Amino acid sequence: MPFPPNRTVTDVSELITGERLSHLRELEAESIHIIREVAAEFEHPVMLYSIGKDSSVMLRLALKAFHPAPLPFPLMHIDTTWKFREMITFRDRMAEEYGLTMHVQTNEEARQAGVTPFSEGSNRYTKIMKTQALLQGLARHRFDAAFGGARRDEEKSRAKERVYSFRDRFGQWDPKHQRPELWNLYNGQLGPGESIRAFPLSNWTELDVWLYIHLENIPIVPLYFAKERPIVERDGSWIMVDDDRLPLEQGEEPVMRMCRFRTLGCYPLTGAMPSTATTVPEIIAEMLTTRFSERQSRVIDHDAEGSMELKKREGYF
Amino acid sequence: MGAHTMETMTEAQAAELLRDHERKELLRFVTVGSVDDGKSTLIGRLLHDTDGVYEDQLAAVRKASRMEGSEIDFSLITDGLKAEREQGITIDVAYRYFTTARRKFIIADTPGHVQYTRNMATGASTADVAIILLDARLGVLPQSRRHAWITSMLGIRHLAVAVNKMDLVDYEQATYARHEAEFRAFADDLDFEAVTFFPISAVKGDNVVEPGGRTPWYEGPSILEFLETVPIPRREEGSFRFPVQTVLRPNLNYRGFAGQVASGVVREGAKVVALPQRTEAVVAGIDLYGETIAEARAPLSVTLRLDREVDVSRGDMIVPADDVPEVRRQFDAMVVWLSEKAHDPNKTYLLKHTSRFVRARIPKVSWSLDMNTLAQAEVEHLSLNDIGRVRVESHQPLYTDPYRVNRRTGAFIVIDSMTNNTVGAGMILERGAERSLEDDAAATGARREVSPAERRELLGHGGAVVWLTGLPASGKSTIAFALERGLFDRGTLAHVLDPDDFAAPDGSATPTSPSPEAVAQMARAVADAGGIAIVSFVSPDADERDAARAIVGAKRFVEVHVATAEKVCRTRDARGLWDGVAAGTLAGVPGVDAPYVDPPSPALTVDTAGQRRDEIVRALCDLLAQRGVLAQG
């Protein structure tokens, strides 16, 4: 398995002789510790790979945690079949390049029944195509621990999430019955059928993720960089016409717009933002001046106050 | 955050900006306050004034503020879960993030409600600094003392006390000074390096981000300035400790021990030992994700390679050869009880300490903290939110440093093995009077994988030595064999060691032939194996008996004086000792022509002339039960 030789020796010497570790190196060390703990304590861990920037960072940390040994667990992608095409290309390329075992899980039954982002409200669609598919995938492979790239700074209900987030036999999260988590001593003891979601990026912010991508030269999906893309405007969101499955409404005509994506998901549910940032430093500079949180571009969060909390109770990431 | 935009930023400026952000330090702090002290408002203000809140989040807050009829409520920025928002109270630890040009901050926002001590302990466990809030109108409350106490116990050395709501006391210096004096009066006795006070108004913003404002009499820094400059503890300064998380063995040529440096620094070429095997080795290489580096300091996650084949696995610890931690099975600790289900002194729990799980009991609570008076109270067990000093008895040895010295190797969590819940959080105390021979045995015989506690579980009783001392022919052997029978019949593993068994090859029955040390060593082996050794041995010399006691360990040494009267012994003299001495064929027989020193304080004195054999056996069994060797009843 090739390991990307992207770090120069100066980086490393800076890291060990410097006054103290930078916050990024400290976060990195903490995340690697978590990943190694989970890999050592559980029988069938899996890394949920969403193809986005957070997953890219998480994957890099995992590769580092076990280098020069291969990853001791597989990856799993929950494919709603409505992801951007570039995401799928990128996913397959990464699996190939790093020799990863990549499970792809789709709620086939629902897909054949004709569930699409347009047939259902975004809430119901997410529940069927993401939450249910995820639970199906976990059950099918009997995974007892699933890494997720979620960060506590993403959304209010995430701020109280544990690093080891305990799920009952039905994959459900009960915010009132989470185990206290002290120091770096995580309790991974499980009863039959129970599982955890592990969040190694808990203490990272969106800015940290981008700084790390820059520092480490981590490959990310090109959709994060600004480019002219065919866009239709819906309810104030810029939706990219990624393929011919997007039903155009009366009078709707795709227009080429210079834009990029701050988060990635199902293309009909993910808004683009106007941007000219074509490099990681430009994205970071843009971020430092932006006044909107990344979840704003996710249509699913707008449904109701506290909607993320409801989704998590049901078993969402 | 900078006010630059893409248009105004040159490439060089952008590069500099990136470098600054990539070089920031990380500070973790915990905020603690009673209900309504304004903690959420303070955090909301810090986030807001450092641009840590996005427009859309702020819009949602504005919307929610309107619903509650006030202007803009900063506390709504941080109040997370639906249930608690409905109850209007924070019920769990939440983590918040913000950044300035110098540092990235992680806030553990902990609720201050009385019954949520456990959340405070959770938040404080990872924090370097604590901010305790006081309401300027109310001053120091019982909770404030409690908060300071817990913060100190959890190892936080820098405390900030924010006297909030100064706007509601007209920014009066006298009020502030009174609270400060009162707080200092008790904080001085705690373990803080520095306690710093701030007169603030979270609602109005005074001294939170910018200093000055409506408190011209205050010349100190703002809360944020303090947070940006307060020293961050350097974990690389302590002894090197490396708990092994996992062993990497991708091929026959590579064997690496992966883990996070818990404390200290290790260099290539350093002499180390791997615990518990105590095998010495030299660090052959330190791998950091494919690069080889010369030294690794805490808290880096690295992979160590050693210069020879060493049997090391997860849960073991690599430490400097000349600076090893204590190896302990028994230790005292401060424990915060986190579960509604009270602690059970007879139950076997799981402990997680570094990367290691062990079974352990918490048989004794020395005292528990009275939360109102902060005095030590006597209790049988710990209940939810109790904090107490306990004795821990682990089945396996642990490699520990006191928590005060090392927050990584001094901490453990307690897990209920039935429910799998985390029920306690422990901090190991300095070794004191609880040092035991069992610990010494653990230190020297750390290779052993079966612990005394496990043997006890298997056999249903503990190991012990019953040492019967008395004149020749006083009835020691008779009692010994009767006791062996009695114990065996109740399912106890017992074995008599009789000096007759070690009689000299020529058949002479001199009772003094084996050395007391040799007998004690043998008896100890039986006790170590979990059995009860019954020694029937004249052992006339008090010093020799004390030596035997030291070899076996005082706790499991039961000295019994078989004090049958000399004239009775003489009549029973089957071996003809008295006659032999009288005839001049024997000499040096204790109690006959040599001294026999009565034990000054035996555990039991028996008399085979005056007591029936079964009475004596019952008395001995009762004694063993009292000592905790046998189960009661």
Side-chain angles (χ1 to χ4, degrees):
Chain A
M1 183 193 66
F3 194 75
N6 48 59
R7 284 253 302 285
T8 65
V9 176
T10 22
D11 283 338
V12 175
S13 60
E14 200 173 294
L15 192 148
I16 57 164
T17 57
E19 266 300 281
R20 58 180 306 129
L21 290 186
S22 75
H23 82 284
L24 288 175
R25 291 299 170 212
E26 202 165 331
L27 290 174
E28 176 187 66
E30 177 183 85
S31 300
I32 289 173
H33 173 261
I34 294 164
I35 293 169
R36 285 169 170 172
E37 280 298 281
V38 173
E41 287 189 337
F42 293 86
E43 281 179 43
H44 302 292
V46 64
M47 181 165 277
L48 301 176
Y49 181 68
S50 75
I51 318 177
K53 62 183 192 309
D54 304 301
S55 281
S56 297
V57 166
M58 183 166 62
L59 174 59
R60 168 61 56 90
L61 292 166
L63 290 169
K64 285 186 167 196
F66 303 102
H67 182 85
L71 279 195
F73 43 75
L75 277 67
M76 181 162 74
H77 176 228
I78 304 304
D79 192 353
T80 59
T81 70
W82 287 90
K83 300 293 173 190
F84 291 92
R85 284 172 301 167
E86 280 180 82
M87 289 172 71
I88 303 303
T89 310
F90 183 85
R91 176 193 75 194
D92 296 343
R93 199 189 96 205
M94 296 309 283
E96 167 94 36
E97 229 167 82
Y98 294 107
L100 308 168
T101 305
M102 179 80 69
H103 299 297
V104 176
Q105 181 72 32
T106 300
N107 187 346
E108 271 305 326
E109 205 183 321
R111 193 177 71 94
Q112 280 165 23
V115 174
T116 71
F118 319 108
S119 71
E120 321 288 328
S122 68
N123 238 334
R124 210 176 121 70
Y125 168 78
T126 301
K127 185 174 170 182
I128 296 170
M129 295 308 284
K130 291 174 90 172
T131 308
Q132 281 183 9
L134 170 64
L135 296 177
Q136 286 166 1
L138 294 176
R140 182 171 143 205
H141 301 281
R142 301 228 228 128
F143 292 128
D144 55 359
F147 291 102
R151 309 183 319 264
R152 288 186 183 133
D153 81 321
E154 276 179 63
E155 203 267 344
K156 272 202 224 175
S157 78
R158 293 242 192 248
K160 313 205 163 184
E161 185 59 281
R162 305 295 198 268
V163 172
Y164 275 28
S165 175
F166 185 77
R167 305 298 162 110
D168 67 13
R169 286 189 298 133
F170 310 102
Q172 291 172 342
W173 180 73
D174 181 349
K176 287 214 165 163
H177 289 97
Q178 292 295 308
R179 296 169 179 174
E181 216 161 57
L182 293 101
W183 299 289
N184 62 347
L185 298 173
Y186 306 109
N187 172 3
Q189 299 289 315
L190 296 179
E194 295 167 345
S195 64
I196 63 147
R197 308 283 164 81
F199 299 113
L201 304 186
S202 284
N203 284 327
W204 295 59
T205 61
E206 189 187 10
L207 177 61
D208 296 331
V209 165
W210 280 113
L211 289 169
Y212 192 71
I213 286 171
H214 177 247
L215 191 68
E216 293 276 316
N217 195 19
I218 296 172
I220 49 170
V221 183
L223 291 160
Y224 284 113
F225 299 111
K227 198 181 137 181
E228 294 262 330
R229 295 187 169 93
I231 296 293
V232 293
E233 202 175 326
R234 284 184 183 174
D235 302 326
S237 293
W238 284 14
I239 303 298
M240 176 175 163
V241 185
D242 194 47
D243 57 35
D244 54 16
R245 291 184 295 169
L246 186 75
L248 293 179
E249 279 154 33
Q250 193 76 39
E252 246 181 6
E253 187 65 42
V255 196
M256 295 306 282
R257 300 258 194 213
M258 192 67 177
C259 62
R260 67 178 185 89
F261 292 88
R262 196 161 163 197
T263 62
L264 296 179
C266 297
Y267 80 83
L269 297 176
T270 309
M273 60 187 280
S275 169
T276 54
T278 55
T279 64
V280 174
E282 283 172 0
I283 289 173
I284 293 169
E286 197 176 89
M287 254 208 74
L288 289 173
T289 56
T290 195
R291 303 296 313 132
F292 289 92
S293 71
E294 59 189 322
R295 289 221 157 250
Q296 205 230 358
S297 61
R298 295 190 192 176
V299 179
I300 59 166
D301 284 352
H302 300 308
D303 290 348
E305 268 275 277
S307 69
M308 179 57 74
E309 188 185 331
L310 290 175
K311 288 190 181 64
K312 286 184 60 175
R313 283 172 183 271
E314 288 163 357
Y316 188 62
F317 287 68
Chain B
M1 283 184 210
H4 301 286
T5 64
M6 282 310 293
E7 285 73 31
T8 61
M9 203 184 302
T10 66
E11 210 163 284
Q13 280 172 325
E16 199 188 316
L17 182 79
L18 276 176
R19 236 190 349 266
D20 288 348
H21 276 289
E22 284 168 358
R23 278 184 180 165
K24 274 186 293 199
E25 297 175 325
L26 181 60
L27 179 80
R28 298 170 200 249
F29 69 94
V30 59
T31 54
V32 192
S34 304
V35 185
D36 298 329
D37 278 346
K39 191 164 46 68
S40 296
T41 309
L42 172 66
I43 295 169
R45 167 69 71 177
L46 275 172
L47 296 180
H48 179 261
D49 289 8
T50 54
D51 287 351
V53 187
Y54 293 119
E55 280 299 332
D56 51 333
Q57 289 171 338
L58 211 51
V61 167
R62 285 204 188 93
K63 196 170 124 199
S65 300
R66 266 201 299 283
M67 288 199 283
E68 293 185 10
S70 61
E71 281 184 281
I72 174 160
D73 184 349
F74 284 110
S75 71
L76 293 175
I77 293 172
T78 56
D79 282 350
L81 300 184
K82 216 173 180 176
E84 69 195 58
R85 222 179 315 160
E86 279 158 13
Q87 291 169 19
I89 180 171
T90 322
I91 54 166
D92 208 339
V93 187
Y95 295 88
R96 319 282 173 196
Y97 306 84
F98 69 96
T99 188
T100 67
R102 299 183 58 141
R103 284 181 175 172
K104 165 182 167 134
F105 299 94
I106 301 179
I107 315 175
D109 178 11
T110 70
H113 210 274
V114 182
Q115 62 263 48
Y116 291 117
T117 301
R118 69 167 182 188
N119 291 325
M120 227 206 97
T122 302
S125 73
T126 51
D128 305 313
V129 171
I131 301 179
I132 290 183
L133 278 100
L134 302 185
D135 185 326
R137 296 168 302 175
L138 305 172
V140 178
L141 298 176
Q143 289 99 302
S144 320
R145 294 165 185 271
R146 190 178 309 148
H147 294 156
W149 203 93
I150 297 171
T151 308
S152 163
M153 179 184 70
L154 274 137
I156 290 174
R157 297 289 163 256
H158 286 271
L159 177 65
V161 181
V163 182
N164 190 24
K165 305 194 185 182
M166 285 302 292
D167 53 316
L168 300 182
V169 296
D170 298 327
Y171 299 97
E172 261 177 24
Q173 185 177 8
T175 306
Y176 170 75
R178 198 172 67 242
H179 298 334
E180 171 173 356
E182 196 183 341
F183 197 101
R184 280 204 193 278
F186 70 86
D188 280 351
D189 295 337
L190 300 173
D191 217 355
F192 296 112
E193 244 169 64
V195 183
T196 317
F197 289 77
F198 303 85
I200 69 161
S201 164
V203 169
K204 309 281 182 198
D206 300 285
N207 295 322
V208 174
V209 172
E210 299 296 332
R214 281 156 284 206
T215 52
W217 43 267
Y218 171 76
E219 290 176 346
S222 69
I223 296 262
L224 185 65
E225 286 172 339
F226 165 80
L227 290 171
E228 281 197 300
T229 51
V230 62
I232 301 174
R234 303 175 74 103
R235 277 164 52 197
E236 68 266 30
E237 276 171 2
S239 302
F240 172 65
R241 301 286 182 253
F242 189 78
V244 174
Q245 286 187 278
T246 184
V247 181
L248 302 178
R249 190 150 210 189
N251 56 58
L252 290 175
N253 302 321
Y254 190 94
R255 187 180 172 86
F257 306 107
Q260 184 173 19
V261 182
S263 58
V265 182
V266 66
R267 295 185 177 81
E268 194 187 316
K271 263 195 174 173
V272 293
V273 288
L275 297 174
Q277 295 80 3
R278 303 207 158 232
T279 333
E280 290 211 12
V282 171
V283 175
I286 306 168
D287 294 334
L288 187 69
Y289 331 131
E291 306 279 354
T292 295
I293 58 176
E295 65 168 44
R297 58 178 65 186
L300 274 184
S301 284
V302 295
T303 302
L304 297 186
R305 280 178 287 115
L306 302 180
D307 70 333
R308 67 201 74 174
E309 278 279 316
V310 174
D311 179 24
V312 175
S313 51
R314 174 174 169 80
D316 294 352
M317 195 185 284
I318 297 174
V319 300
D322 57 358
D323 182 11
V324 298
E326 293 184 308
V327 181
R328 299 168 81 178
R329 272 200 183 124
Q330 296 193 26
F331 50 85
D332 279 13
M334 294 303 300
V335 164
V336 183
W337 202 253
L338 308 169
S339 166
E340 276 90 5
K341 210 166 133 197
H343 143 250
D344 177 352
N346 295 313
K347 191 179 163 93
T348 300
Y349 292 96
L350 262 185
L351 300 194
K352 189 176 187 187
H353 172 259
T354 65
S355 53
R356 194 173 159 79
F357 279 98
V358 293
R359 293 192 177 276
R361 290 196 315 138
I362 306 173
K364 205 180 106 196
V365 182
S366 305
W367 49 266
S368 142
L369 189 73
D370 181 314
M371 282 301 181
N372 292 313
T373 60
L374 296 184
Q376 298 177 3
E378 265 188 43
V379 292
E380 299 269 294
H381 55 251
L382 297 175
S383 305
L384 178 63
N385 289 314
D386 279 354
I387 299 171
R389 179 182 176 129
V390 303
R391 167 67 51 82
V392 180
E393 288 180 11
S394 165
H395 288 200
Q396 304 284 320
L398 293 175
Y399 328 120
T400 70
D401 296 292
Y403 184 80
R404 281 194 72 236
V405 177
N406 194 320
R407 286 174 88 182
R408 287 275 178 260
T409 52
F412 61 90
I413 56 170
V414 184
I415 297 165
D416 184 320
S417 44
M418 292 305 292
T419 64
N420 291 324
N421 277 330
T422 305
V423 295
M427 288 141 279
I428 296 169
L429 294 165
E430 273 89 353
R431 190 190 274 271
E434 80 283 3
R435 181 185 178 89
S436 74
L437 282 149
E438 222 170 64
D439 280 341
D440 290 341
T444 51
R447 276 196 83 100
R448 240 183 241 296
E449 295 201 359
V450 181
S451 71
E454 283 174 294
R455 289 178 205 275
R456 176 184 273 274
E457 258 176 38
L458 174 76
L459 297 166
H461 59 82
V465 173
V466 178
W467 191 279
L468 303 166
T469 173
L471 295 175
S474 57
K476 297 183 300 297
S477 296
T478 310
I479 295 170
F481 289 116
L483 178 62
E484 183 184 54
R485 184 76 239 175
L487 286 171
F488 185 85
D489 288 346
R490 55 182 284 175
T492 305
L493 183 67
H495 183 63
V496 171
L497 299 177
D498 191 309
D500 287 348
D501 291 349
F502 331 127
D506 63 3
S508 76
T510 315
T512 48
S513 44
S515 82
E517 280 82 6
V519 176
Q521 293 288 2
M522 269 181 274
R524 182 193 159 152
V526 173
D528 282 348
I532 297 173
I534 305 163
V535 176
S536 162
F537 195 31
V538 175
S539 47
D541 188 302
D543 288 345
E544 285 175 354
R545 290 191 301 259
D546 284 346
R549 183 196 313 274
I551 288 167
V552 171
K555 249 176 68 182
R556 48 185 197 170
F557 187 84
V558 182
E559 189 181 45
V560 178
H561 185 199
V562 183
T564 310
E566 199 253 6
K567 61 178 193 292
V568 179
C569 299
R570 191 192 295 252
T571 62
R572 292 178 183 168
D573 181 18
R575 282 177 291 178
L577 298 174
W578 274 265
D579 291 348
V581 169
T585 54
L586 279 174
V589 179
V592 183
D593 67 335
Y596 175 89
V597 180
D598 286 348
S601 50
L604 191 68
T605 302
V606 300
D607 177 359
T608 54
Q611 288 171 284
R612 286 210 328 262
R613 210 195 300 176
D614 58 333
E615 276 173 32
I616 294 174
V617 167
R618 197 175 317 121
L620 282 166
C621 288
D622 289 347
L623 179 63
L624 288 169
Q626 276 169 31
R627 289 285 193 95
V629 176
L630 300 181
Q632 295 279 354

